[in-house]
Amino acid sequence: MHLDEETFGLLIDSVRRFVDTRLIPNEHLLAELDEVPADILTEMRELGLFGLSIKEEHGGLGLDMEEEVRVVFQLGRTSPAFRSAFGTNVGIGSQAIVMAGSEEQKQRYLTRMANGEIVGSFALTEPEAGSDALSIKTRAVRDGDHYVLNGTKRYITNAPVAGLFSVMARTGDGRSARDISCFLVEAGTPGLTLGRPDKKMGQQGAKTCDVIFENCRVPASQLLGGEEGTGFTTAMRVLDKGRLHISAMAVGAATRLIEDSVRYAKERKQFGQAIADFQLVQAMIADSQAETYAARSMVLDAARRRDRGENATLTSACCKLFATEMVGRVADRAVQIHGGAGYMAEYGIERFYRDVRLFRIYEGTSQIQQLVIARETVKAADSGRTVIGA
Ligand code: COS
């Protein structure tokens, strides 16, 4: 924790109040408009939500990972599309610059991201490169003091509203991390165009679309950190952090689904009594509560380890796998507890059910997390290290 408990407590209180009074009451509107209302975006900027993880010297709140996940537990209690509006500035859209940007790049972009003036977006995925991120085809070819980018990026979160893209592109021909570089490409650069907004199963209000580069000339000064061949490892480190953030979102969503399920189970009467009094309903509530607590404890532990400087690859993959699968089960039980009402749009439970489905896919599928966990565990055993420990 880098803030004192009292200051941090005030931040948590104001975020919780904002979620309860401004976001939860507007969940239906968000889904209906497929857009975060402008007045809410302004309030998010004023609360500092766009700059949660950006250092104070660049205008953010500079939260460490433990503080960030504790704030995100609160933000997760409402429709995840609200968080998406500033989520890329906190996570994948800003962190490449935070971790590997030159001082000049940090100065140029981070302050404007922290105050929400520009939205950052992370462009890695392509039509033929999702889980297999090393196989991206987007190419950057040096031409004098510029690079020329060609290729298509797919399902890029916040692309329709982004001011800056962190673009992973191939500068070498092989299948190695060193063949990939990261470029900071400003929206409006000639040769950069956007596809039509994607129509999604859920998370209405969160924007994604294709980003297309056709002979897009980018000044060489926009190469992240001024160094070719570091883009892939930077992207992976960005995802290590992002996966913890998504895990915290899953915990927050599970908390909310339990709150709603318990409230409904206490109100709903069948066979002459509240359904909350039936042990089969109680079993569902108990399983959801125990699993949410387990995920919350994991996420906090992993965040603290990261703050202590431990490598977060294995721990964040464990959290992402467990927490996002967990919230899928909790959402399923929430629909079940609500019965017919759980299937109806007006109650919003079915919307959560669709919204949280994405958690098991983006920033690395559950299967990719399994692969990462297994590899890290075997690698540690090979070198006689214990991972996590007894
Ligand atoms: N941190 C730092 N470096 C990492 C890393 C991490 N977490 N993960 C991998 N690397 C490095 C490796 O050390 C390796 O470096 P060397 O070439 O110097 O040995 C390099 O990156 C390639 O890694 P690896 O050999 O493991 O590549 P694979 O193709 O076998 O696997 C996975 C890479 C599958 C882990 C990666 O492609 C991945 O995470 N895919 C999912 C992508 C994703 O999450 N997409 C979501 C969309 S973005 S919102």
Side-chain angles (χ1 to χ4, degrees):
M1 296 277 290
H2 98 293
L3 291 175
D4 62 77
E5 274 296 339
E6 197 192 334
T7 312
F8 186 65
L10 290 173
L11 174 66
I12 289 283
D13 283 348
S14 58
V15 172
R16 185 186 297 127
R17 221 176 12 254
F18 181 59
V19 169
D20 285 338
T21 62
R22 297 293 293 137
L23 303 188
I24 292 177
N26 283 301
E27 286 171 352
H28 286 290
L29 186 67
L30 170 76
E32 210 175 282
L33 296 178
D34 197 5
E35 198 158 73
V36 179
D39 53 338
I40 290 184
L41 274 177
T42 303
E43 290 169 57
M44 286 171 171
R45 288 192 193 98
E46 286 166 3
L47 259 176
L49 295 178
F50 281 84
L52 289 176
S53 64
I54 295 174
K55 289 215 170 72
E56 284 115 320
E57 66 205 73
H58 297 119
L61 295 181
L63 301 189
D64 64 22
M65 201 68 220
E66 177 181 347
E67 291 163 339
E68 182 178 326
V69 298
R70 286 172 64 185
V71 169
V72 175
F73 290 157
Q74 297 302 325
L75 293 166
R77 290 175 47 248
T78 185
S79 295
F82 278 126
R83 186 228 46 128
S84 206
F86 54 85
T88 50
N89 281 28
V90 175
I92 56 179
S94 70
Q95 291 304 301
I97 305 175
V98 169
M99 291 176 188
S102 65
E103 200 41 50
E104 203 255 320
Q105 289 165 343
K106 289 182 185 174
Q107 294 291 349
R108 182 150 9 122
Y109 296 116
L110 289 181
T111 311
R112 286 193 282 152
M113 279 197 201
N115 65 23
E117 189 186 320
I118 56 168
V119 169
S121 186
F122 179 77
L124 171 66
T125 300
E126 298 185 355
E128 290 172 72
S131 290
D132 184 6
L134 261 185
S135 70
I136 59 168
K137 292 200 177 82
T138 297
R139 183 169 288 281
V141 177
R142 180 97 194 207
D143 180 21
D145 55 3
H146 282 71
Y147 283 87
V148 181
L149 269 63
N150 279 287
T152 298
K153 298 292 178 180
R154 181 140 293 172
Y155 309 144
I156 303 304
T157 301
N158 276 342
V161 291
L164 184 74
F165 297 88
S166 305
V167 183
M168 272 17 94
R170 182 164 284 290
T171 42
D173 290 325
R175 199 195 146 83
S176 136
R178 282 162 297 282
D179 293 308
I180 292 171
S181 304
C182 178
F183 296 88
L184 304 176
V185 186
E186 295 187 5
T189 305
L192 185 167
T193 52
L194 301 177
R196 282 219 294 271
D198 298 315
K199 292 197 169 110
K200 311 187 298 308
M201 175 200 260
Q203 298 219 9
Q204 273 66 39
K207 305 284 181 192
T208 68
C209 71
D210 279 5
V211 183
I212 303 140
F213 299 94
E214 287 167 310
N215 295 324
C216 178
R217 290 178 67 80
V218 177
S221 59
Q222 297 299 88
L223 175 64
L224 185 74
E227 212 185 325
E228 277 190 20
T230 58
F232 190 79
T233 42
T234 301
M236 291 298 116
R237 284 165 58 216
V238 166
L239 285 171
D240 283 348
K241 176 177 181 294
R243 288 167 183 169
L244 263 180
H245 181 109
I246 300 297
S247 307
M249 281 294 292
V251 170
T255 312
R256 164 69 184 281
L257 285 160
I258 295 170
E259 283 167 11
D260 284 5
S261 300
V262 170
R263 189 180 318 111
Y264 183 82
K266 286 171 65 163
E267 280 164 16
R268 173 76 175 162
K269 299 221 167 24
Q270 289 292 279
F271 305 103
Q273 64 189 76
I275 63 168
D277 293 335
F278 288 111
Q279 289 183 340
L280 293 179
V281 172
Q282 289 174 359
M284 288 192 272
I285 293 170
D287 284 349
S288 292
Q289 189 63 268
E291 291 190 61
T292 303
Y293 176 50
R296 188 177 193 281
S297 305
M298 277 175 89
V299 171
L300 274 174
D301 179 70
R304 288 176 184 139
R305 284 171 184 273
R306 187 178 185 279
D307 287 337
R308 289 201 296 266
E310 288 182 30
N311 183 305
T313 303
L314 173 108
T315 45
S316 65
C318 287
C319 290
K320 172 85 167 42
L321 173 65
F322 184 77
T324 64
E325 292 285 335
M326 175 280 295
V327 76
R329 292 189 293 272
V330 171
D332 190 71
R333 290 184 201 113
V335 172
Q336 199 67 16
I337 291 168
H338 282 77
Y343 204 71
M344 298 301 148
E346 65 179 290
Y347 285 84
I349 295 296
E350 62 80 34
R351 193 188 55 237
F352 259 99
Y353 180 83
R354 289 182 283 111
D355 286 352
V356 302
R357 187 64 184 82
L358 184 58
F359 291 162
R360 286 147 70 187
I361 298 172
Y362 67 178
E363 301 203 19
T365 61
S366 291
Q367 290 66 35
I368 287 296
Q369 309 312 319
Q370 288 173 314
L371 178 149
V372 170
I373 296 163
R375 274 188 190 173
E376 291 294 310
T377 305
V378 172
K379 200 164 74 186
D382 286 346
S383 59
R385 279 184 296 122
T386 44
V387 287
I388 304 180

